[in-house]
Structures are given as structure tokens and as C-alpha cells.
Amino acid sequence: MVPCQPEAAWARNGKHQSYMVSMSSSALSVRAIGTNPTPIWGMSTTERLRRIAKAQKLRFRDKGEGPALLVAASHVFEPAWLKFMVDKPGQVLTLGGEKVIAHVAQDAGAGFPEGLTEIRAEDHRVFYNATLRKREEPVLEKLEPGTVRAIQRKTYFGAYKGVTDILTKYLWPEWALVLTRLAAWIGMTPNQVTAIGATLCVLATYLFWIGDYGWGMAAGLVFMVLDTVDGKLARCTITSSEWGNVFDHGIDLVHPPFWWWAWAVGLAHWGLAFTPVEFAVVMIAIVGGYVVQRLIEGAFIRRFNGIHIHIWEKIDSDFRLITARRNPNMVILFVATLAQRPDIGLIAVAVWTVLSCLFHAVRLVQALRRRKRGIKIRSWLIL
């Protein structure tokens, strides 16, 4: 796949096609065709379409006028499909022979017009999602009462990051799916979920400080799952916002060093307190290593056109599963606490943080050397 261009860019990959798409027409509007009484994620398909259009800065309207994307209310699809059709004038996306999204030059105010070139969704178009760092075939399904839960599950997993830590990728999904469904059903907003999680994050910090690691990890566990729920809820209900993104990621970025510091203080309640020198060395390794690793990630993004270091090559994506971030570190501390040695657990976290930092530093240097030799740095996820 080539980098995103002003027009849709695509390349063949065996029997599949991969696309990176971009908006190209501010004159386009969006209109729903028909109605659908079956809700999905607490809203009608028309309301969902309205939110997708707003997020993509397209005008949603009820009457026909000018160039438009006509969308069947009978179906549910992920936002990538609407972006894809922006660059397909005179064409219609179909599923099982049914028209789903059509790009027309002039909306006559009726249903789907005839004479459009058909694009079959069944032809396995695989998109690269830069936000979620993965290649995916976006969801496109006909919504009926009997398919609601299956479609919810598909759109939920479609909202999952492709490159993340081992707990988020393999342990949290089913728990978070239940909570995401519940939050959508009772009408909670993603920011409300984030606020509850933030409260638990502060509570966990206090519990670590007083050496109550069991309850602290319990509070931290719920917080970590909610940290997954808020993002999935935002994407599934199409309610992502700039403030929500800052709120969520700001907490994610700031709190880990406070957790590790509080954990070190709490060791005194176990009779395992570090000496002042030991405390300083461990904190410098953990907090310093955390900061340096984040700086390395930022430097990689700036120097290589927005590419995250974790998606450069497959080894980087694999290492992201276990790199010294909050969730893998908590696994280390959990195991050490079960063995009644939370002090050794924190020392292990310090060692792993330094090793992870060195790994990323080496990868940054390798990337810089390759670019110096004229080798273009690109993600292995982009074909």
C-alpha cells in the first residue's frame, strides 16, 4: 500500500485489495434511504449515520440536493466505508446484491438511482486504520433483530487496536465487551466511563501507598478494563471527541509513575522498605526509563512521518505486547505479590523498564541508519 494521497490510493495483495482513503469533497452531503426500527448500540442506523457524517465533516440532510452519498438504513457499517465511497463518484457499494452506499452527482430525493457501477463488499477490501494501527476488513452487515448481538460484537472488535499490550489484546476483550454493551444500554458517555476509571486510578494509588496491594490491584484491574471500555464505547457509538481523547490519554500518560512510586512507599507496611539509595535507584530506573521510552516513541513519530515505533516492523508490534508499560508491569507485580515479595516485583519492573528502553533506543538508531542509507521507513502493516 502506498501512503495516503489526496485521492484514494490502493494496491493489490493477492486476492485482496487494500486501501487508504481520504476525504476529497467538502460539497458532498449524506442522506439516509429508508428506515430501520432495529437499534444498534442504543441508536437507530439513521442516528448512527448522522454521527458518522458529522465526524467526517459531511453535511447530513433529509432532502435531496446536489452531490451526495446515499446510505441504506437497512445496514450497519464502520466509518471507513463512508470514507471509501467519497472517492467513488458514480459507483454504488453493494452487499449480497443490495445497494448500501451510493455516490451520486445529483441527489434526486428518491431512492438509489440506476446505472451506477457496482462495487461488491464481498471482494474483501482490506483497509489500513492508522488510528487503531491495524489492517482490517471493516464491518458491513444488514441489521435485523436477530443479528444485533453479532453485529455489536463485530463492531466492538473492529474498534480494537491491532497493536497493544498482551492483557488488552487477549484478556480484557470479553470483559470489556459486556461493560461496553451495558454502558451503551444505560446511555453512559465515554467521558463518564473515563471519570469512573480515573477515580479508581486515584484509589489504587492510595491503596498502593498504604501497602494494601491486593485491593489496590483490584481497583487497578477495574480501572484498566474501563480504560479499554471508554475508547470502545466512543468508537462503537460514534461519540469520540477531542476532549475525551485528551482526558483518556492524559490519564494513561501521567498515572503510571505515581503507581510505581506509591508501590515503593507501600513496601514499608510489609517490612520490606528500600533503603534511600535503593529507593532512588529503582525510581530513577522506572520513572526515568518510562519518560525516556516515551520520548523515544515521540522522536520516532516526528522523524518518520507519524509512524509509531510499535508498528515499524513485526518485531516491534510483537514487543509491544510485553514492553514495560502499565499492564505488563502489573503482571510482574501481581506474580511477585502472590509470592509475598512485592519488593522484588518492583525491582523486576525497574530492570524490565531499562531493558525495554534500550530495545526502543536501539530500534530508533537502526531506523535512523536505514534512512541515512536511503531506505524508506514504513510500517509493515501498510502494504
Side-chain angles (χ1 to χ4, degrees):
M1 180 183 296
V2 298
C4 187
Q5 301 294 330
E7 300 294 330
W10 61 275
R12 293 190 180 276
N13 174 31
K15 295 182 180 180
H16 289 66
Q17 295 177 332
S18 297
Y19 298 83
M20 289 188 70
V21 296
S22 63
M23 304 301 293
S24 63
S25 176
S26 59
L28 271 177
S29 58
V30 178
R31 184 167 70 86
I33 302 296
T35 60
N36 191 336
T38 304
I40 183 79
W41 290 116
M43 71 191 112
S44 67
T45 55
T46 299
E47 175 58 26
R48 179 180 170 84
L49 176 61
R50 187 191 305 275
R51 294 182 188 183
I52 293 174
K54 181 180 180 180
Q56 297 183 11
K57 303 188 186 311
L58 293 170
R59 183 166 57 97
F60 183 90
R61 57 181 170 77
D62 299 319
K63 298 180 179 179
E65 59 177 48
L69 293 172
L70 306 181
V71 181
S74 56
H75 287 68
V76 169
F77 56 88
E78 294 194 69
W81 283 116
L82 200 66
K83 285 186 178 182
F84 172 66
M85 289 304 295
V86 163
D87 295 308
K88 298 292 179 290
Q91 300 181 58
V92 59
L93 178 69
T94 66
L95 179 67
E98 294 187 64
K99 297 174 181 177
V100 181
I101 306 176
H103 186 155
V104 299
Q106 182 61 44
D107 184 3
F112 289 105
E114 300 297 328
L116 300 173
T117 302
E118 181 182 14
I119 303 175
R120 286 164 33 92
E122 294 91 339
D123 289 342
H124 303 296
R125 287 167 173 80
V126 179
F127 296 74
Y128 172 62
N129 189 320
T131 301
L132 299 181
R133 306 172 198 171
K134 65 179 179 179
R135 290 197 303 266
E136 62 179 354
E137 186 172 348
V139 175
L140 175 59
E141 300 280 349
K142 187 168 185 177
L143 179 65
E144 298 171 327
T147 64
V148 171
R149 290 186 66 83
I151 293 175
Q152 280 185 334
R153 187 177 183 85
K154 287 183 179 180
T155 53
Y156 166 82
F157 279 99
Y160 236 86
K161 282 186 178 179
V163 178
T164 186
D165 67 86
I166 193 169
L167 294 184
T168 301
K169 193 176 182 87
Y170 297 112
L171 185 58
W172 298 165
E174 296 298 335
W175 302 357
L177 172 57
V178 173
L179 293 175
T180 303
R181 279 176 167 155
L182 176 62
W185 180 66
I186 64 178
M188 287 186 69
T189 68
N191 287 343
Q192 288 172 334
V193 175
T194 303
I196 294 172
T199 302
L200 289 169
C201 178
V202 173
L203 176 60
T205 306
Y206 168 73
L207 291 170
F208 292 154
W209 188 276
I210 64 174
D212 196 345
Y213 298 133
W215 283 110
M217 284 187 285
L221 173 64
V222 179
F223 160 62
M224 290 187 287
V225 174
L226 292 180
D227 190 36
T228 291
V229 172
D230 56 9
K232 306 307 169 290
L233 181 65
R235 295 185 190 107
C236 289
T237 59
I238 322 298
T239 51
S240 298
S241 67
E242 185 174 349
W243 161 243
N245 187 58
V246 171
F247 187 21
D248 180 27
H249 289 88
I251 294 171
D252 289 347
L253 182 66
V254 171
H255 83 271
F258 290 95
W259 274 18
W260 316 140
W261 190 286
W263 190 282
V265 172
L267 291 173
H269 296 275
W270 285 58
L272 298 171
F274 291 143
T275 66
V277 173
E278 291 171 339
F279 188 98
V281 171
V282 170
M283 286 300 103
I284 289 172
I286 295 179
V287 178
Y290 175 78
V291 172
V292 170
Q293 184 169 311
R294 287 290 194 170
L295 290 174
I296 290 172
E297 293 171 13
F300 199 98
I301 291 172
R302 289 193 301 274
R303 291 176 178 271
F304 300 109
N305 300 317
I307 296 175
H308 288 259
I309 195 170
H310 304 301
I311 63 169
W312 173 25
E313 295 183 326
K314 191 173 185 303
I315 187 176
D316 302 296
S317 297
D318 291 340
F319 193 76
R320 177 63 180 88
L321 290 168
I322 58 173
T323 193
R325 289 283 190 89
R326 179 196 65 204
N327 290 1
N329 287 349
M330 286 303 294
V331 172
I332 295 173
L333 293 174
F334 176 72
V335 172
T337 303
L338 286 180
Q340 300 296 303
R341 292 306 303 265
D343 56 330
I344 293 178
L346 198 60
I347 293 171
V349 167
V351 172
W352 184 232
T353 299
V354 171
L355 293 176
S356 295
C357 189
L358 288 173
F359 175 86
H360 287 102
V362 169
R363 294 299 286 161
L364 175 60
V365 171
Q366 289 175 330
L368 290 170
R369 287 181 175 177
R370 290 192 195 182
R371 186 175 67 176
K372 190 174 182 179
R373 296 201 306 267
I375 301 174
K376 185 174 182 178
I377 302 300
R378 59 188 301 169
S379 171
W380 72 281
L381 294 171
I382 305 176
L383 301 179

